[in-house]
Amino acid sequence: MPGDPPAALYQHLVAVARTERGLTTYAEVAPLAGLSVDDPAGRAELARLLDAINAAEHAEGRPMLSAVVVLKGTLQPGKGFFECARRLGRDVAAGGDDLGFWVAEHRRVCAYWRAQTWSAIALSGSGCKMNGPLLPLHLVEVA
């Protein structure tokens, strides 16, 4: 069975969501999982990892964290983001306003993570499971 999403990938996405711009590219995040977007297998594995993170976030009632990851050329997410949203039952109609959904989800995910007061976010061990929530999620509050 393929591995769970690396903690470094999850932590980076959270850190990006907390920034003013709130965007990173697939090429920037792939190395965090030991992957390259120049390799078709690497792209497929990155998509699988981001889908797993989104599913775990959805199960916890949080927005889709991969909304912060975009294609370098278009500054929009790839089609896999929207396919994942539909699989999760998110309000994206087939042939609907994908861009509008992404803009709203990006705003939601950034607002959520910017509102948190934690100084460090870490996953212990292999806590990020493919078929369950990202647990255990350890949060360290700012004093």
Side-chain angles (χ1 to χ4, degrees):
M1 176 169 113
D4 295 328
L9 175 59
Y10 182 82
Q11 292 167 346
H12 179 73
L13 297 181
V14 169
V16 168
R18 294 176 62 115
T19 66
E20 184 176 338
R21 184 168 182 228
L23 293 175
T24 187
T25 66
Y26 293 99
E28 290 169 342
V29 300
L32 297 172
L35 302 169
S36 170
V37 295
D38 295 328
D39 173 34
R43 287 192 302 272
E45 178 62 6
L46 181 59
R48 186 191 68 77
L49 294 172
L50 293 174
D51 284 359
I53 289 171
N54 285 333
E57 292 292 286
H58 181 73
E60 293 295 315
R62 295 187 290 257
M64 295 175 65
L65 188 52
S66 79
V68 302
V69 186
V70 296
L71 295 162
K72 185 177 179 180
T74 64
L75 295 182
Q76 295 178 19
K79 66 179 181 172
F81 172 80
F82 303 104
E83 292 166 356
C84 179
R86 289 182 183 96
R87 282 192 305 275
L88 294 174
R90 297 302 308 276
D91 192 20
V92 184
D97 182 15
D98 284 355
L99 183 59
F101 169 79
W102 170 66
V103 168
E105 192 70 1
H106 182 263
R107 286 182 183 148
R108 285 184 63 228
V109 77
C110 290
Y112 175 84
W113 287 108
R114 289 173 188 157
Q116 305 310 309
T117 59
W118 306 307
S119 63
I121 300 170
L123 297 171
S124 68
S126 61
C128 182
K129 297 295 179 191
M130 298 304 295
N131 58 357
L134 291 171
L135 294 175
L137 178 63
H138 297 282
L139 307 170
V140 180
E141 294 189 39
V142 175

